[in-house]
Amino acid sequence: MSKLPGWLGRLGAELTELGDRLEQRRDEAAGHGAGRTGLPESGDAGPAGDVPVPAAAAADVPAGAVRVADERAGEERRGAAADRVPPPPSYAPSVAARPDPVAAIPWGMRVAAEAGWRLLVLAGTLWVLMRVISAVQLVVLAFVAALLVTAMLQPTVARLRGYGLPRGLATAVTAVLGFVIMGLVGWFVVWQVMDNIDTLSDKVRDGIEELKRWLLDSPFHVTEQQINDIAKNLSDTIGTNTEQITSAGLEGVTVMVEVLTGILLAMFSTLFLLYDGRRIWHWVLKLVPAQARPGVAGAGPRAWRTLTAYVRGTVIVALIDAIFIGLGIFFLDVPMAVPLAVFIFLFAFIPLVGAVISGALAVVVALVTEGVFTALMVLAVVLAVQQIEGHVLQPFILGRAVRVHPLAVVLSVAAGGMIAGIGGAVVAVPLVAVTNTVVGYLRTYGQEQALRYAPSPRGATALDVAPTPAPGSPPENGDRDDENGAGGGTKGSS
């Protein structure tokens, strides 16, 4: 229906043009006849239309001028006919204009869609990164452990170089001493455990018998037959799961091989980080885009200081915990006091969770070997030392270098343990602390850059942005110069 008026208009214009041509031909024929006879015809119209033209005047007008005037009049009539488009009929349905699709979508939905696809891209990137890390988990954990050891040993290297030792010799001395001390600690723990394993097994057997007697005399009405049935079920379970235990032993051998491989990787990484850490950092900076390089270059040293402060503070706090809890266990005559103290030192590197596990282990050993009263005393010692650690030692030693909320600590330790086991739980909190420092610095750096390259304010806005000196503060150099100048002018005028 919408194309019909246009088609009818074009048809009418063509018919009008055809009529104009026929009329022009007729006028030309009439003009030629009148020229030959010399008499005007009655009712003959000139080129203008309705005004009659005398024969003499018609004879004087050239035929070409008449033709041009007729063509021009025909074009005007055709244009007027084409411009006159007939309106649509009254019965035609009205069609509403379609709105812009962007304007039809609500603003909140558009913002949610924009944020949604960006979050999907970030989630996909993180998923791919986690898959890559899980595929090379041993290498990643070994390198992170090397970073932690380097953060602990690097101040020693700097101090030895300050005494005049070359960089290579200072690195070698520090690395050898550090690895020897860690190896001696591990050997001492294994030696103490193997030396006291027989005594501990006898104590555990006696503790089980004492627990059995306590259950028989308890108000729970447990009979000896029920206890024997539980023991028989345990032995049957162990007998039926012999293959699984054997496979677990084989898996344990594989785990030991992986652990040794990780230790070697960590040792070599530590050597190179201690010797050539600055050059490695400069090489990493070259991989960063040029626009983001200044911000990353400023965030790197701050992240390293945070990591160094965390490792140093954690070592000091763990050492104090191990010493005081170990002394308490030793004076309470709990067997294997030294190995338990070493376990407390190692588990202190897992914030919050490690202290609970190591304290529970010490209480269980005291309960099985020395009884309920000794176990309660060990529990009191562990709680007292941990309270002093949490409220006095950590705020004083770590200070403001590591500012992580306890909820973030718990969640990061849980996530790290689920992803990479004990190693993930150990490196989770320093990773969160370093990330917090880096993000805070980059945010501040971005704000400073935005203010630096922003256009300078003018007029009243400049007065609002200009810093206002505090009441009673001494005037700045510019104000002091103005005052001096004003005073000099006054003296000169006087």
Side-chain angles (χ1 to χ4, degrees), residues 19-401:
D20 292 339
R21 289 179 181 177
L22 291 175
E23 186 178 357
Q24 182 181 358
R25 298 279 181 88
R26 190 181 299 111
D27 292 340
E28 290 177 358
H32 288 299
R36 283 194 298 270
T37 59
L39 298 174
E41 295 182 357
S42 60
D44 189 12
D50 296 335
V51 180
V53 180
D60 294 337
V61 177
V66 174
R67 187 182 300 111
V68 171
D70 291 342
E71 290 179 356
R72 188 174 300 169
E75 290 178 358
E76 292 177 356
R77 287 194 294 270
R78 286 193 298 271
D83 292 338
R84 290 193 301 271
V85 178
S90 60
Y91 57 84
S94 60
V95 179
R98 294 182 178 180
D100 189 6
V102 177
I105 301 175
W107 174 257
M109 187 175 295
R110 277 187 282 171
V111 172
E114 294 269 345
W117 72 259
R118 286 177 171 84
L119 289 176
L120 286 177
V121 172
L122 289 177
T125 305
L126 289 177
W127 183 80
V128 173
L129 183 62
M130 294 304 299
R131 295 289 295 179
V132 172
I133 290 176
S134 62
V136 290
Q137 179 179 347
L138 179 63
V139 178
V140 173
L141 289 178
F143 182 74
V144 174
L147 281 176
L148 296 177
V149 176
T150 304
M152 183 173 58
L153 298 180
Q154 194 267 338
T156 306
V157 176
R159 186 169 299 177
L160 290 178
R161 292 193 63 187
Y163 291 154
L165 290 180
R167 182 175 60 178
L169 183 59
T171 302
V173 171
T174 304
V176 169
L177 288 178
F179 294 148
V180 166
I181 291 173
M182 288 186 283
L184 288 176
V185 169
W187 170 80
F188 182 75
V189 171
V190 174
W191 171 60
Q192 286 290 319
V193 171
M194 297 302 295
D195 190 40
N196 294 282
I197 191 68
D198 295 333
T199 305
L200 182 62
S201 61
D202 295 337
K203 294 282 188 180
V204 169
R205 191 178 298 110
D206 295 338
I208 292 175
E209 292 294 332
E210 183 179 355
L211 179 62
K212 180 179 177 181
R213 290 192 298 269
W214 181 80
L215 288 175
L216 291 175
D217 298 335
S218 66
F220 298 107
H221 303 290
V222 179
T223 62
E224 188 173 359
Q225 183 63 33
Q226 292 175 343
I227 296 176
N228 293 332
D229 292 339
I230 293 173
K232 185 175 181 301
N233 292 331
L234 288 175
S235 62
D236 293 340
T237 303
I238 294 174
T240 54
N241 295 327
T242 304
E243 296 181 357
Q244 297 181 2
I245 294 174
T246 304
S247 62
L250 295 177
E251 291 179 359
V253 174
T254 306
V255 169
M256 288 300 298
V257 173
E258 292 181 355
V259 168
L260 292 176
T261 305
I263 290 174
L264 291 177
L265 284 175
M267 291 174 63
F268 279 105
S269 301
T270 302
L271 280 174
F272 286 109
L273 288 174
L274 287 173
Y275 180 75
D276 222 4
R278 187 178 298 275
R279 189 180 300 176
I280 294 173
W281 170 242
H282 290 163
W283 178 81
V284 172
L285 282 179
K286 293 179 182 179
L287 303 179
V288 180
Q291 294 181 351
R293 195 172 298 164
V296 177
R302 288 167 175 81
W304 181 252
R305 284 197 294 268
T306 300
L307 183 63
T308 304
Y310 173 82
V311 174
R312 191 181 305 170
T314 304
V315 168
I316 295 174
V317 171
L319 187 62
I320 293 174
D321 286 351
I323 290 174
F324 283 97
I325 296 178
L327 288 175
I329 294 173
F330 177 77
F331 286 119
L332 291 172
D333 291 333
V334 178
M336 293 197 307
V338 177
L340 287 175
V342 174
F343 278 117
I344 291 170
F345 173 80
L346 296 177
F347 276 95
F349 286 90
I350 307 176
L352 298 181
V353 180
V356 174
I357 295 175
S358 59
L361 179 62
V363 172
V364 168
V365 172
L367 176 64
V368 173
T369 57
E370 299 296 331
V372 179
F373 178 77
T374 306
L376 292 176
M377 295 299 297
V378 171
L379 179 61
V381 171
V382 170
L383 291 178
V385 173
Q386 289 181 357
Q387 290 298 315
I388 295 174
E389 168 206 338
H391 293 86
V392 178
L393 294 179
Q394 285 190 353
F396 178 74
I397 296 174
L398 295 179
R400 299 178 60 87

